[in-house]
């Protein structure tokens, strides 16, 4: 295998390994954190519906429900009622009675009668204990039955840990209450014990509706109960949403605490569940993801995809029938990510393979290098055939292949065995080891001697001259180095020399400007140009009321580019409209989303002075408002002080027309120009934005304070709101609020961030308020 191909393959494998590691780490985070819980909840709910089954019927629930409360009276009842209820159940043949009610001391006569009833049935009445709820005065403190009851009945534990979905996913086998171990009520009912603080998952495939149930009033009013309890355990608990706790049961209805206890007990009646967690499925998914990324045969990857995803979805269903429980959210996230990544890699490989071979010369093209941004530590050679287009145009189409064949044959003699790549318009490339620069220069000389001999194509003879360019910037991507080497070859051809070495120091401002302009459209399409949003805060209410849209360019090779630099270039060369249109589209979608939560939310977009010379900006704005179905008042256009005061009537007329349509206008960077009161009175602005330099020293500079106070008063007198940018300290924010400033903006309030991050900040479920 040629060294270049070996290095390319090694780099491809390295990238796949990196990708696999990142995907595995991301899915690992899903498992360690709570991010995967909603997915696991949905999958558990689906499996529960598929496995839906009735309960065993060994446990009967007697509920103190709304009917009982209406007939007997409001809760709490006199313990005499509970004593009668318990005795009546034993009279009907109940095996054991579990009282899921905290029996603290109450009325003496009733407590004594209840104690007497319980003492008649030693070991057959179990009462509950627990811990005080978080946030209450008794948080974490033991709640135990009254001593008289505790002496004649076993005390069990009933604690429920609520999940984010307001339900109970797992239950304890037992807990320490008041320093002593207490088994859970579910464990006592099922007769299955475990270690203290050990948990098991509740199997909600048991239908709550199938649990045998009686109202407490039916038991109290009838000597013979409607539901047979002979030989069965009975659970007494509160079943009223106004008196007791209600829990969400996945895939079923909201249910009271006794039914959760019953389902938990049914789970243990099948035996101790085996809990595998999420790690085993995740490890299997890691192996499947590696196969997806490394396997080249589509049939194999398809089989792996179907088998792995099917196993992740169907495997837990089969295991739960055997009382084995596992979570698969991290595994599914990893598998889906790996499938998408593998599909993307195959798509990229197909794209790179398109045109990968020149149909005339049969050589590989430079497409693979252009599509990949890999690095190579070797020298990059570019060959430019002078007057290639003129020579080709002089030949019939069927003779072009013969000409290229002879050119390639001669070049191959001087490449030292390296793979020759075919570019466009008579350009060729190859890579050479960095240590062989002297050898490469000798190859240039030898090739020039070879090409001095004319090339014979059938009956015609052509003088073919070549020039070479050499790039040594091994730290740059090959896609960038191709252009550099070709530029050096072009320079050598123009100067009439044999070869030139690319010197990055010669790249001046003109090349940089042309590069920016040439890459502008592609940068927008590829997402390199994006929109950041800096939030704006109402200083009176401390609520976010808007944001400013700020264009950003993160270049693939040069990194972040100063907005002032590329915006100025685009403006100077008539390309600013494309950037403005892009920012308006993005900002319109964001303000539409934000108004779901903040109806008066506004977005500010900067407009270049050059765009106030014709109606194009008005047409652009109107189209965006219609396309995104947002009101005109949700958009504020920021124009600089100098642009708003421009001589001539066109800018003034355009601003007045925009304002008449309901669009907000803001005078940006106020204080940096030479505006007068007359100009401010004429400009139809709704907002005055004070330049950041006046905020930077506001807390310590008395003159700046005086200027700021008078500016705020002036703007309010003219009917404008005042926005101050550059707030970076809490003292500045407090001072501006005391002066009556309307809106603040700056790093102390919020740094510029992408759209999703801003929407996450604004989302109501965050319950977030600015307090700085």
């Amino acid at each position: 295998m040629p060294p270049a191909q070996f290095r390319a393959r090694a780099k491809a494998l390295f990238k796949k390994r990196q990708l696999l590691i990142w995907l595995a780490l991301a899915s690992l985070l899903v498992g360690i954190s709570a991010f995967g819980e909603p997915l696991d909840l949905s999958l558990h709910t689906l499996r529960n519906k598929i496995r839906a089954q009735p309960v065993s019927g060994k446990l009967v629930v007697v509920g103190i429900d709304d009917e009982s409360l209406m007939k007997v009276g409001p809760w709490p009842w006199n313990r005499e009622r509970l004593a009668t209820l318990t005795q009546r159940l034993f009279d009907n043949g109940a095996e054991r009675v579990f009282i899921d009610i905290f029996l603290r001391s109450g009325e003496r006569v009733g407590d004594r009668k209840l104690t007497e009833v319980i003492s008649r049935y030693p070991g057959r009445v179990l009462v509950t204990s627990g811990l005080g709820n978080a946030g209450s005065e008794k948080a974490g403190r033991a709640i135990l039955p009254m001593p008289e009851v505790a002496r004649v009945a076993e005390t069990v534990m009933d604690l429920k840990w609520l999940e984010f979905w307001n339900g109970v996913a797992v239950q304890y086998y037992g807990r320490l209450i008041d320093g002593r171990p207490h088994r859970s009520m579910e464990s006592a009912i099922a007769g299955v014990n475990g270690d203290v603080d050990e948990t098991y998952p509740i199997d909600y495939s048991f239908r709550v509706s199938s649990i045998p149930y009686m109202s407490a009033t039916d038991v109290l009013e009838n000597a013979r109960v409607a539901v047979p309890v002979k030989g069965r355990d009975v659970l007494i608990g509160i079943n009223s949403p106004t008196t007791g706790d209600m829990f969400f049961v996945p895939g079923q209805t909201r249910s009271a605490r006794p039914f959760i206890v019953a389902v938990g007990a049914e789970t243990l009646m099948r035996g101790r569940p085996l809990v595998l967690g999420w790690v085993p499925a995740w490890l299997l998914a890691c192996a499947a993801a590696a196969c997806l990324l490394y396997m080249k045969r589509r049939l194999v990857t398809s089989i792996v995809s179907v088998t792995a995803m099917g196993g992740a979805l169907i495997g837990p269903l089969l295991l739960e029938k055997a009382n084995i429980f596992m979570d698969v959210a991290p595994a599914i996230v990893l598998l889906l990510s790996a499938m998408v990544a593998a599909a993307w890699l195959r798509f990229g490989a197909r794209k790179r393979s398109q045109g990968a071979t020149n149909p005339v010369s049969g050589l590989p093209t430079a497409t693979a290098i252009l599509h990949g941004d890999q690095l190579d530590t070797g020298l990059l050679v570019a060959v430019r055939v002078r007057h290639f287009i003129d020579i080709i145009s002089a030949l019939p189409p069927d003779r072009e292949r013969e000409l290229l064949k002879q050119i390639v044959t001669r070049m191959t003699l001087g490449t030292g065995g390296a793979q020759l790549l075919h570019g466009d318009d008579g350009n060729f490339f190859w890579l050479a080891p960095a240590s062989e620069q002297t050898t490469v220069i000798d190859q240039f000389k030898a090739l020039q001697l070879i090409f001095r001999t004319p090339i014979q194509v059938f009956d015609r003879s052509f003088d073919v001259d070549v020039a070479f360019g050499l790039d040594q910037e091994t730290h740059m991507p090959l896609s960038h180095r191709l252009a550099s080497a070709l530029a050096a070859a072009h320079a050598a051809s123009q100067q009439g020399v044999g070869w030139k070495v690319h010197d990055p120091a010669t790249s001046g401002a003109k090349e940089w400007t042309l590069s920016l302009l040439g890459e502008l459209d592609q940068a927008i399409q590829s997402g390199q140009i994006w929109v950041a949003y800096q939030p704006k805060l109402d200083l009176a209410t401390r609520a976010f009321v808007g944001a400013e849209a700020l264009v950003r360019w993160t270049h693939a090779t040069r990194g972040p580019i100063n907005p002032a630099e590329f915006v100025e270039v685009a403006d100077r060369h008539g390309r600013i409209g494309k950037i403005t249109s892009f920012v308006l589209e993005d900002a319109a979608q964001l303000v539409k989303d934000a108004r779901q939560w903040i109806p008066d939310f506004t977005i500010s977009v900067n407009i270049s002075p050059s765009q106030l010379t014709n109606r194009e900006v008005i047409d652009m704005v109107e189209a965006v408002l219609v396309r995104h179905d947002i009101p005109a008042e949700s958009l504020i256009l920021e124009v600089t002080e100098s642009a708003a005061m421009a001589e001539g009537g066109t800018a003034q007329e355009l601003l007045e027309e925009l304002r008449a349509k309901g669009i907000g206008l803001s005078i940006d960077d106020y204080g940096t120009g030479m505006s007068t009161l007359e100009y401010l009175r004429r400009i139809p602005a709704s907002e005055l934005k004070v330049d950041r330099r006046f905020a930077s020293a506001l807390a310590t500079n008395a003159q700046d304070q005086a200027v700021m106070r008078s500016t705020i008063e002036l703007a309010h007198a003219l009917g404008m709101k005042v926005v101050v940018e550059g707030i970076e300290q809490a003292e500045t924010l407090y001072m501006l609020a005391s002066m009556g400033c309307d809106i603040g903006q700056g790093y102390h309030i919020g740094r510029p961030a992408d759209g999703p991050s801003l929407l996450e900040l604004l989302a109501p479920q965050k319950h977030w308020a600015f307090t700085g």
Side-chain angles (χ1 to χ4, degrees):
M1 181 184 296
Q5 291 185 16
F6 178 81
R7 288 195 299 270
R9 184 173 181 180
K11 288 175 183 176
L13 291 174
F14 177 73
K15 284 189 173 182
K16 288 182 179 180
R17 184 165 63 251
Q18 279 187 316
L19 179 59
L20 178 61
I21 292 173
W22 280 112
L23 293 179
L25 289 176
S27 59
L28 183 64
L29 180 62
V30 171
I32 295 174
S33 66
F35 294 155
E37 288 186 6
L39 176 58
D40 268 323
L41 175 63
S42 301
L43 293 173
H44 278 300
T45 302
L46 178 61
R47 294 196 295 268
N48 290 337
K49 288 185 176 181
I50 295 173
R51 296 175 49 242
Q53 56 186 314
V55 297
S56 65
K58 297 178 181 179
L59 178 69
V60 178
V61 174
V62 174
I64 299 173
D65 49 23
D66 291 339
E67 180 185 358
S68 303
L69 295 173
M70 289 178 61
K71 291 184 178 181
V72 177
W75 187 259
W77 290 348
N78 187 296
R79 295 291 164 74
E80 188 173 353
R81 299 281 187 184
L82 198 55
T84 303
L85 183 64
T86 305
Q87 182 61 56
R88 187 66 54 81
L89 291 171
F90 279 118
D91 291 343
N92 281 269
E95 181 66 26
R96 293 182 297 175
V97 173
F98 294 82
I99 302 177
D100 194 13
I101 300 168
F102 293 125
L103 298 177
R104 287 169 286 191
S105 298
E107 192 270 325
R108 288 186 178 181
V109 175
D111 289 348
R112 185 172 60 254
K113 289 188 176 182
L114 178 60
T115 304
E116 291 174 356
V117 170
I118 295 175
S119 63
R120 294 185 197 130
Y121 304 97
R124 296 174 64 186
V125 178
L126 293 89
V127 297
T128 191
S129 64
L131 296 173
N133 292 329
S136 69
E137 293 182 0
K138 297 183 178 180
R141 291 168 54 185
I143 302 176
L144 298 170
M146 53 188 172
E148 297 88 341
V149 171
R151 283 193 291 269
V152 296
E154 179 184 350
T155 302
V156 292
M157 174 276 300
D158 185 14
L159 291 176
K160 299 290 183 285
W161 179 264
L162 282 182
E163 302 291 342
F164 70 94
W165 41 274
N166 199 32
V168 182
V170 299
Q171 178 58 307
Y172 294 98
Y173 284 101
R175 291 293 302 274
L176 287 176
I177 305 292
D178 198 26
R180 293 184 301 169
H182 289 66
R183 59 175 175 166
S184 69
M185 186 167 286
E186 293 86 346
S187 294
I189 293 171
V192 178
N193 297 320
D195 296 333
V196 172
D197 291 337
E198 182 184 358
T199 61
Y200 67 91
I202 298 177
D203 186 357
Y204 285 111
S205 67
F206 291 106
R207 294 196 302 271
V208 172
S209 60
S210 68
I211 298 173
Y213 177 77
M214 285 188 295
S215 173
T217 188
D218 293 337
V219 180
L220 292 171
E221 293 178 352
N222 301 287
R224 293 297 173 189
V225 295
V227 177
V229 298
K230 186 175 182 179
R232 294 178 171 183
D233 290 332
V234 179
L235 172 63
I236 301 174
I238 296 175
N239 181 26
S240 171
T242 60
T243 305
D245 298 325
M246 301 297 289
F247 300 92
F248 176 74
V249 178
Q252 302 185 55
T253 183
R254 291 174 65 85
S255 301
R257 179 183 292 265
F259 296 102
I260 306 301
V261 173
V263 174
E266 288 288 343
T267 303
L268 292 181
M269 288 179 191
R270 297 177 59 198
R272 281 177 58 97
L274 176 60
V275 182
L276 299 180
W278 56 268
V279 175
W282 179 77
L283 291 174
L284 292 174
C286 286
C291 292
L292 290 173
L293 293 176
Y294 284 97
M295 292 290 184
K296 293 183 178 180
R297 297 180 61 181
R298 179 175 294 185
L299 178 61
V300 175
T301 57
S302 299
I303 293 174
V304 171
S305 300
V306 173
T307 303
M309 188 57 69
L313 295 174
I314 300 175
L317 181 65
L318 301 177
L319 290 174
E320 285 175 6
K321 290 186 176 181
N323 214 20
I324 301 173
F325 294 83
M326 67 187 304
D327 293 328
V328 293
I332 289 179
V333 169
L334 177 55
L335 288 173
L336 289 175
S337 302
M339 289 178 187
V340 172
W344 180 254
L345 290 174
R346 286 196 298 271
F347 173 76
R350 285 198 303 270
K351 291 288 289 183
R352 287 191 294 271
S353 65
Q354 293 174 357
T357 302
N358 187 286
V360 181
S361 67
L363 289 175
T365 67
T367 304
I369 293 180
L370 292 173
H371 280 287
D373 237 11
Q374 69 269 26
L375 301 175
D376 195 288
T377 57
L379 303 172
L380 179 61
V381 177
V383 187
R384 182 177 180 83
V385 179
R386 292 189 179 106
H387 310 300
F388 180 79
I389 298 298
D390 295 334
I391 297 173
I392 290 296
S393 61
L395 284 171
D398 58 336
R399 305 289 175 89
E400 180 183 351
R401 185 182 301 273
E402 179 61 27
L403 174 67
L404 281 174
K405 180 180 178 181
Q406 295 196 40
I407 291 176
V408 169
T409 300
R410 295 188 182 192
M411 283 190 183
T412 305
L413 296 175
T415 59
Q419 176 64 61
L420 193 63
L421 304 174
H422 193 167
D424 299 326
D425 301 332
N427 301 317
F428 297 85
F429 306 90
W430 79 81
L431 289 164
S435 60
E436 298 181 2
Q437 182 171 347
T438 303
T439 303
V440 170
I441 299 297
D442 292 338
Q443 290 173 348
F444 294 166
K445 297 176 182 178
L447 284 170
Q448 285 189 316
L449 290 174
I450 293 173
F451 275 96
R452 285 182 180 178
T453 305
I455 293 179
Q456 192 74 27
V457 181
F458 295 99
D459 57 344
R460 305 189 62 177
S461 181
F462 296 95
D463 287 326
V464 177
D465 194 11
V466 291
F468 301 93
L470 184 62
D471 178 85
Q472 307 173 94
E473 294 184 279
T474 56
H475 62 284
M476 298 295 289
L478 285 172
S479 55
H480 171 77
R481 298 179 61 197
L482 281 173
S484 300
L486 196 57
H490 180 69
S493 178
Q494 285 186 323
Q495 297 172 21
V497 297
W499 66 88
K500 285 189 72 69
V501 178
H502 172 67
D503 182 5
T506 61
S507 300
K510 182 175 181 180
E511 287 85 355
W512 170 242
T513 298
L514 291 175
S515 174
L516 288 181
L517 289 173
E519 297 178 32
L520 182 63
D521 294 344
Q522 181 63 30
I524 292 176
Q525 295 173 6
S526 65
Q528 293 181 23
I529 289 184
W530 54 285
V531 183
Y533 296 92
Q534 187 170 32
K536 297 165 70 174
L537 185 75
D538 188 311
L539 298 187
T541 64
R542 299 297 174 92
F544 292 119
V545 293
E548 180 182 1
L550 304 166
V551 66
R552 296 287 187 262
W553 187 345
T554 306
H555 197 277
T557 57
R558 299 181 176 94
I561 301 175
N562 191 328
E565 188 174 354
F566 70 82
V567 169
E568 180 184 354
V569 169
D571 195 12
R572 195 166 59 244
H573 291 80
R575 305 289 292 280
I576 193 63
K578 186 176 289 293
I579 293 179
T580 303
S581 175
F582 171 75
V583 174
L584 278 171
E585 292 286 350
D586 196 89
Q589 184 58 53
L590 182 131
V591 77
K592 182 175 182 178
D593 294 339
R595 281 190 162 227
Q596 299 177 58
W597 310 308
I598 307 176
D600 297 327
F601 195 82
T602 61
I603 199 77
S604 301
V605 177
N606 290 276
I607 298 296
S608 167
S610 64
Q611 294 181 278
L612 295 177
T613 58
N614 55 65
R615 291 187 52 83
E616 182 179 346
V617 67
I618 292 183
D619 297 336
M620 183 189 302
V621 170
E622 287 181 334
V624 167
L625 295 177
V626 172
R627 190 156 43 246
H628 293 272
D629 190 24
I630 58 174
E633 58 268 19
S634 66
L635 180 63
I636 298 174
L637 300 181
E638 295 191 5
V639 295
T640 60
E641 184 180 352
S642 58
M645 298 190 308
E647 295 293 338
T650 303
Q652 180 79 14
E653 292 173 1
L654 291 175
L655 292 175
E656 289 176 354
E657 184 175 349
L658 288 167
R659 193 71 189 93
K661 293 179 182 294
I663 299 164
L665 293 178
S666 177
I667 300 176
D668 195 14
D669 299 334
Y670 177 76
T672 60
M674 300 293 292
S675 58
T676 64
L677 182 59
E678 175 62 21
Y679 273 119
L680 287 180
R681 189 183 65 80
R682 283 171 42 198
I683 297 172
S686 57
E687 182 180 282
L688 190 67
K689 193 167 190 180
V690 182
D691 186 67
R692 65 178 59 249
R693 70 180 65 178
F694 291 98
S696 59
L698 187 66
T700 57
N701 192 308
Q703 291 181 337
D704 284 352
Q705 294 173 15
V707 171
M708 183 66 74
R709 187 174 289 105
S710 61
T711 300
I712 293 172
E713 293 174 355
L714 173 62
H716 287 168
L718 294 174
M720 301 182 195
K721 287 187 176 181
V722 178
V723 179
V724 175
E725 58 183 349
I727 300 176
E728 299 184 358
Q729 298 176 351
E731 294 86 348
T732 305
L733 186 145
Y734 293 139
M735 185 169 290
L736 287 169
S738 67
M739 292 180 180
C741 177
D742 301 291
I743 298 171
Q745 180 181 340
Y747 282 179
H748 180 66
I749 296 170
R751 291 177 176 271
D754 57 23
S757 298
L758 179 66
L759 291 175
E760 183 180 3
L761 176 67
L762 302 177
Q765 61 266 29
K766 294 297 178 183
H767 298 293
W768 194 92
F770 186 86
T771 58

